[in-house]
Amino acid sequence: MDRETKVYYRKEDGKSLYTFYLEKIVNAPIFNLMAVIAEAQTYKDWIPLLYKSEITNEVSHFRKTGEFAVTVPWPFYNRCVYIQVSAMPVKTDDAIILNMKTIEGNKWLGKDIPKDPNCAEAIVHYCSAYIETISENK
């Protein structure tokens, strides 16, 4: 890990949950970074163990759902996450806020969310990312 990468975590008291904080400087314009993040259906082609990455619903460029699945060794079941994502531009800071969380149940905005019964569902209680431009290419 380089000096521009920070990763912190803590176990939440009384729960079997962890909270993570990550910080990274990316040497690319914000548009390029967001273009890569938005192409979630390609993640399976370049992330090891990820065999499924699909955008399952898209209301707008800023509101989508996705299904992601990873393989795990026997005797465990593969893990899937069904996630809703929303994005909001922050014009005053030349930034974007991404919010993600698990889709609860089998519907999202009235649309069916089919779930794989052979996959153990992972839960993302809440995930947020603040992505801002520091300079033209950072």
Side-chain angles (χ1 to χ4, degrees), residues 35-107:
V36 171
I37 291 171
E39 294 296 325
Q41 70 277 10
T42 65
Y43 293 0
K44 68 183 177 302
D45 299 327
W46 45 276
I47 298 175
L49 305 179
L50 190 67
Y51 68 89
K52 190 171 200 176
S53 60
E54 295 180 6
I55 296 172
T56 52
N57 292 290
E58 187 170 354
V59 177
S60 72
H61 292 304
F62 297 104
R63 194 115 194 241
K64 303 177 183 188
T65 64
E67 178 183 357
F68 303 91
V70 294
T71 58
V72 294
W74 183 88
F76 302 103
Y77 286 100
N78 290 341
R79 299 294 189 254
C80 298
V81 66
Y82 305 90
I83 198 159
Q84 54 184 312
V85 180
S86 62
M88 172 80 59
V90 182
K91 294 180 181 176
T92 57
D93 291 343
D94 195 14
I96 295 173
I97 296 172
L98 295 175
N99 292 307
M100 297 158 269
K101 89 179 254 195
T102 292
I103 299 167
E104 296 177 20
N106 294 320
K107 290 211 179 272

